[in-house]
Amino acid sequence: ELFLRIPAPAARRAAMDSLALAPNHTSLEPRAVVALRGPDPESLFFGAHVAAHARTPAALAALKKIAEQKLAHARADDASLATERGLWWAQYEALEVLAQWEGEDAYPLILKRASESPAVGAILGRRYWTRVLPDLLKWAAGKGAAVERARNAARQPIEPDDAMSTRATLFAAVADAKLDAEVRHQLALKVGASSDDAQAEELAKRHDAAKTDGERLIWASALFVSRRPAAVPVLVRYAKTDPDEFRRKGALAQLSDMLGVEKAAVLVEDKKDIIK
């Protein structure tokens, strides 16, 4: 009642936070079904989450009925009316909940909706990383909506095991200049986060061998996020000599965080600029 009757954002956040604490129980089925049959986007949005707690066949069927509808717009902002934008987000939320609920069984439907809206790529990246990665790389070599879909998928955080199991593919993609630069940057962060000491040393070699500033920065992103010893000499060079002030200060801040303020100061020989 709070969510549906009081449109204030604070009230709706409180209702969603409370629902997140609710245990799964079949007694929630009638509420889920009624909400998912409601006329307004708010009812559909909330009903999707109630259905996830009901976990009954009837609740799943009602949820699928929303998720199976074609998205009317590629993006919520493309809708001219507020109600249309709300409906778009309600359908997106239904897809998100369905992906969590059905897992691999929901993948074909999520992929189909992603062909209608690049934004749904985020669900694919978040919930189906290992399965969607081959398609993600194809999209990243394309243009327009395909690249946008790839970026949305690549930006999502993934499980460490997924990063480790796909690391070789990710490494090759980071090195592929034919792919979209933003996608490569996002994949580089995942490569770096899953690197051990020896792998970080390889990242440092790739950085030093890069022919352009853009290539160096992509490999630097992977190296720095690894936080391995191999990153320290490169961070020192950035902190001391990079012409971009923002990058100099960023490198200095990471050195201070990794090694301590005093040791970082000694390495860059510039105590007055250390961020304390």
Side-chain angles (χ1 to χ4, degrees), residues 130-181:
T130 58
R131 187 167 179 179
V132 80
L133 184 55
D135 283 330
L136 188 160
L137 298 181
K138 293 177 184 177
W139 301 333
K143 57 184 179 180
V147 170
E148 185 180 352
R149 189 183 308 118
R151 290 176 178 177
N152 286 328
R155 290 182 185 125
Q156 304 310 305
I158 62 174
E159 294 296 325
D161 287 348
D162 287 342
M164 293 294 293
S165 66
T166 59
R167 189 181 184 282
T169 300
L170 299 180
F171 189 94
V174 174
D176 189 349
K178 297 188 298 295
L179 302 185
D180 175 72

Side-chain angles (χ1 to χ4, degrees), residues 231-242 247-257 259-275:
V232 172
V234 183
L235 281 166
V236 170
R237 295 206 303 269
Y238 273 76
K240 294 176 69 172
T241 65
D242 195 285
R247 289 199 293 265
R248 288 199 308 272
K249 289 185 175 180
L252 193 56
Q254 183 169 342
L255 279 171
S256 300
D257 183 56
L259 307 176
V261 171
E262 294 303 322
K263 189 170 183 179
V266 171
L267 289 174
V268 300
E269 300 174 343
D270 194 357
K271 294 184 180 181
K272 69 178 187 300
D273 285 339
I274 288 294
I275 301 172

Side-chain angles (χ1 to χ4, degrees), residues 17-91:
D17 289 344
S18 297
L19 182 63
L21 300 174
N24 294 343
H25 202 281
T26 56
S27 63
L28 291 171
E29 179 190 281
R31 298 176 187 270
V33 173
V34 169
L36 287 169
R37 291 174 179 170
D40 54 87
E42 293 80 11
S43 178
L44 300 179
F45 184 98
F46 196 71
H49 289 273
V50 178
H53 286 283
R55 294 280 170 167
T56 65
L60 178 61
L63 179 66
K64 280 187 173 181
K65 187 173 182 179
I66 305 301
E68 288 171 350
Q69 294 176 18
K70 182 178 179 179
L71 287 161
H73 303 280
R75 302 162 194 82
D77 290 344
D78 291 346
S80 57
L81 300 177
T83 53
E84 292 179 342
R85 290 192 292 272
L87 179 59
W88 190 98
W89 280 113
Q91 289 182 255

